Amino acid sequence: MQPLHHYGLSPQHGFLSPREIDTIALPSDLDAAVEAAAMLPDYVASGRVRHWLAQLPPIDIASFAAQADEAAVGVALLRYGFLAQAWVWGEPTPVDTLPANLAVPLVTLADRLGLKPIMTYQHYVLDNWFRLDKAGPIALGNLAIDQHFAGGRDESGFILVHVAIEAIAGAAIAIAVDLVNAADRDDDAQVEQLLGRLESALAAINAGLDPMATACDPHVYFHRVRPYMFGWPGAGLIYEGVAAFGGKPVALRGQTGSQSSIVPAIDAALGVPHGASALSAFLDEIHGYRPPRHRAFIDDLRTSRVRDVAGRRPALRDAYNGCLSQLAQFRTAHLRLAAIYISAQAATAGIDGETGTGGTPFLTYLARHRDDSRAAFL
């Protein structure tokens, strides 16, 4: 395994962007898009968000996409990703066509970064944060988000709990690299010690879920936060002005926590098996929504021999199973939160609550995730 920095990662930031969004300036050519993105809560509240976004002037984005650094391109993509989601989902009836003034920049910027031309977890969470006190930690109480849809405390709280967990996870993925390398050296003693440290790091991630109950109200989440995250309706979205798509609709999944790389990375390091199923096919597809370096990190972790080494003696097996227990607890907690924040709210509202923002039967998939973790015990 290469060191974390090879993949653009660190123990302090984990998978979060290493540059905070409030430190990244965009050129004046993008002023109109930046202003429109800042106005999204007001545009959404007006009930005519498409009226306002239709006035956004088209720009020649190609030279900026080719010449700007990756961080600036990422922030520009974040802005256009939010604008596109608001165009489709910001009024009572979604639409299946994205106008060229939004579609062309969205596709051009996404292509530069090797990402899908839709708002992903990368934009919604990993890039969308900054510290209030730059000398302080990346932790709740010292964090703010930069880009909103409807705005408000609950939307911020929902995103920031994820940001804080991603920062906490930096320690776990750093241990995972050392663990895989120790297994490659057949260093049983080091593997056992690192498994113990990984179990503690995973317990810290699990504890990071606890603040969600006070950070974001379930009713507000379901009705004011979640509606903007879905993928494209029906057969997909037509990206006007994008010659590469030939005027045909493009089907893409919406932003979902499944696009976070934390648990897939730990699964890969531990060698947790996932048999062929609809879930495994979905996980393979979702892998393509991650940034290229995050994908490469997980792919490299998948060469792990940790599971084989852990089966050699009881102490190693116990340490390994302790990590799996923490993974199962995380997935159980995730399943419980999904039931509270989605299923229960949908039942109260009398509407569909079976389909997640990623377009899957999320309760079934989350339960299968948990069961796979339990079944992997040695």
Side-chain angles (χ1 to χ4, degrees):
M1 281 293 299
Q2 298 289 337
L4 277 184
H5 65 78
H6 174 80
Y7 307 96
L9 312 176
S10 78
Q12 295 75 34
H13 291 82
F15 292 102
L16 293 171
S17 170
R19 289 180 61 185
E20 296 172 44
I21 192 170
D22 65 331
T23 69
I24 302 169
L26 297 180
S28 58
D29 289 356
L30 276 76
D31 280 353
V34 170
E35 181 179 351
M39 289 293 293
L40 265 188
D42 298 289
Y43 290 161
V44 168
S46 76
R48 299 192 301 152
V49 64
R50 294 181 196 129
H51 167 79
W52 304 111
L53 296 186
Q55 300 176 34
L56 191 65
I59 65 170
D60 181 6
I61 197 74
S63 59
F64 166 78
Q67 298 171 18
D69 65 29
E70 186 173 303
V73 175
V75 172
L77 179 57
L78 181 155
R79 304 297 185 207
Y80 276 101
F82 269 74
L83 294 174
Q85 294 292 135
W87 178 274
V88 175
W89 296 107
E91 296 185 22
T93 303
V95 292
D96 59 8
T97 300
L98 190 67
N101 66 334
L102 299 177
V104 173
L106 183 62
V107 172
T108 303
L109 295 165
D111 284 349
R112 157 69 195 281
L113 298 178
L115 294 168
K116 304 289 187 184
I118 189 172
M119 183 193 75
T120 67
Y121 186 85
Q122 174 75 24
H123 316 123
Y124 194 63
V125 173
L126 300 180
D127 292 348
N128 190 21
W129 66 277
F130 62 94
R131 285 176 296 170
L132 299 169
D133 174 6
K134 300 301 184 188
I138 306 172
L140 292 176
N142 191 39
L143 289 170
I145 67 168
D146 184 81
Q147 182 64 63
H148 302 77
F149 283 116
R153 171 187 175 278
D154 296 272
E155 183 181 35
S156 293
F158 177 76
I159 296 172
L160 290 178
V161 169
H162 286 81
V163 172
I165 290 172
E166 292 286 343
I168 293 168
I173 63 173
I175 295 167
V177 171
D178 292 341
L179 179 60
V180 170
N181 289 335
D184 284 343
R185 298 190 305 269
D186 288 310
D187 187 340
D188 288 14
Q190 184 71 357
V191 168
E192 183 179 343
Q193 191 255 352
L194 288 167
L195 284 169
R197 288 175 54 197
L198 182 59
E199 181 180 357
S200 296
L202 293 175
I205 293 172
N206 287 342
L209 289 170
D210 293 342
M212 186 64 79
T214 54
C216 181
D217 177 83
H219 177 84
V220 177
Y221 167 78
F222 189 80
H223 293 282
R224 285 179 53 86
V225 177
R226 186 173 184 258
Y228 306 99
M229 299 184 204
F230 287 88
W232 305 141
L237 192 70
I238 295 173
Y239 290 73
E240 291 186 339
V242 179
F245 295 157
K248 297 180 180 178
V250 177
L252 292 171
R253 295 189 182 275
Q255 190 282 138
T256 166
S258 296
Q259 293 169 4
S260 171
S261 296
I262 297 172
V263 174
I266 302 304
D267 267 358
L270 295 175
V272 176
H274 294 283
S277 66
L279 170 59
S280 60
F282 167 71
L283 294 177
D284 289 343
E285 181 186 350
I286 281 296
H287 192 50
Y289 284 70
R290 299 188 174 98
R293 284 188 291 181
H294 296 187
R295 295 200 300 265
F297 178 66
I298 294 171
D299 289 342
D300 287 352
L301 286 172
R302 286 173 175 165
T303 65
S304 170
R305 296 179 54 246
V306 169
R307 185 173 172 83
D308 293 336
V309 172
R312 289 176 178 168
R313 55 190 177 86
L316 279 168
R317 286 197 296 272
D318 289 346
Y320 180 85
N321 289 341
C323 293
L324 290 183
S325 179
Q326 291 295 333
L327 276 179
Q329 287 180 45
F330 180 87
R331 284 169 163 150
T332 298
H334 192 184
L335 184 62
R336 182 174 63 252
L337 287 171
I340 294 170
Y341 279 77
I342 302 173
S343 298
Q345 300 305 313
T348 299
I351 57 179
D352 171 45
E354 299 299 318
T355 304
T357 54
T360 65
F362 64 94
L363 288 179
T364 300
Y365 281 11
L366 288 173
R368 175 65 186 269
H369 270 303
R370 177 204 58 204
D371 295 344
D372 283 351
S373 296
R374 292 172 175 170
F377 276 53
L378 294 174

